Amino acid sequence: MSPTLIKLAGWLPAVIIPAATIIQLTTIFKDRSTQGVSWLTWFLFGVANIGLYIYTEKYTALQSIVGLLGSAVLDFLIAGLAIASFGVSKDSAQSTE
């Protein structure tokens, strides 16, 4: 496989993974609510990103730092907001139970 194609393939997750995470964060802040957001899912995404960062052994590659570690930080932020029930009133939380 050509080095250019490999480099491009490395940038795909470095762009797509943080973009998907930012879309979730944008929705949370736009709606001012984490209702329906699974803290456990986002926590596990964060753990998986750190695991993949370690597995790839590309500790200084910008793609790995941004795509995996940067996303892990954002994943943990989403999990923290969900745990804190950001923007979810007690009334609306009780009505969904």
Side-chain angles (χ1 to χ4, degrees):
M1 206 174 292
S2 78
T4 304
L5 186 58
I6 292 170
K7 193 168 196 162
L8 177 63
W11 277 106
L12 286 175
V15 172
I16 293 170
I17 294 171
T21 307
I22 289 169
I23 290 168
Q24 179 68 72
L25 270 173
T26 302
T27 301
I28 288 170
F29 288 120
K30 184 182 81 169
D31 294 347
R32 298 185 187 278
S33 176
T34 56
Q35 191 166 5
V37 175
S38 168
W39 73 267
L40 183 56
T41 297
W42 287 99
F43 176 79
L44 291 174
F45 283 153
V47 171
N49 281 328
I50 291 171
L52 190 55
Y53 173 78
I54 293 167
Y55 176 75
T56 61
E57 296 183 359
K58 299 202 176 209
Y59 306 119
T60 59
L62 187 59
Q63 297 97 321
S64 293
I65 294 167
V66 171
L68 300 173
L69 291 183
S71 290
V73 169
L74 295 175
D75 294 339
F76 293 138
L77 174 61
I78 293 170
L81 289 169
I83 289 169
S85 297
F86 173 78
V88 179
S89 68
K90 289 187 180 188
D91 293 337
S92 66
Q94 289 174 352
S95 68
T96 60
E97 292 177 359

